[in-house]
Amino acid sequence: MNSFDIVKTVRLTEKGTRQGEKFNQYTIVADRRATKPQIRHAVQELFKVKVTKINTLNVRGKFRRQRTSQAGQAPDWKKAIVTLKE
């Protein structure tokens, strides 16, 4: 897997913005098969920053219902909270 496959996008939320300002942490949507060292290497390579710590968690997809009562489910995904060096 290359770096573009591992790091899918950066999530921008209110909580994530506060974490960025206060703790220098950013939330990234990563590939579900990626490990912490792979995510660390990909973030450092793509964004040219120094990563000090990574916390990961697997987020279960929510159940969704359509108007015609067809049930579906959003896909599962991996969240990585990346702490950067000052």
Side-chain angles (χ1 to χ4, degrees):
M1 267 191 289
N2 64 11
S3 298
F4 291 103
D5 292 336
I6 293 172
V7 175
K8 295 186 178 182
T9 185
V10 177
R11 277 184 80 87
L12 297 175
T13 60
E14 287 185 37
K15 181 179 179 180
T17 305
R18 277 187 272 126
Q19 283 180 327
E21 294 170 355
K22 194 170 183 180
F23 303 114
N24 207 22
Q25 294 178 335
Y26 298 92
T27 305
I28 291 176
V29 176
D31 188 82
R32 290 197 56 215
R33 299 165 294 174
T35 61
K36 286 184 181 184
Q38 289 174 335
I39 295 170
R40 176 188 303 268
H41 179 71
V43 169
Q44 288 179 353
E45 182 181 331
L46 291 176
F47 300 108
K48 308 290 189 256
V49 294
K50 179 69 176 162
V51 176
T52 58
K53 185 173 150 184
I54 294 182
N55 296 341
T56 60
L57 58 138
N58 290 312
V59 180
R60 190 174 290 171
K62 293 183 176 181
F63 286 100
R64 305 285 185 180
R65 286 191 354 206
Q66 299 288 327
R67 185 179 302 190
T68 59
S69 72
Q70 295 174 346
Q73 185 177 7
D76 299 341
W77 54 284
K78 180 177 264 191
K79 180 194 291 191
I81 300 171
V82 180
T83 305
L84 303 180
K85 187 175 182 181
E86 290 295 327

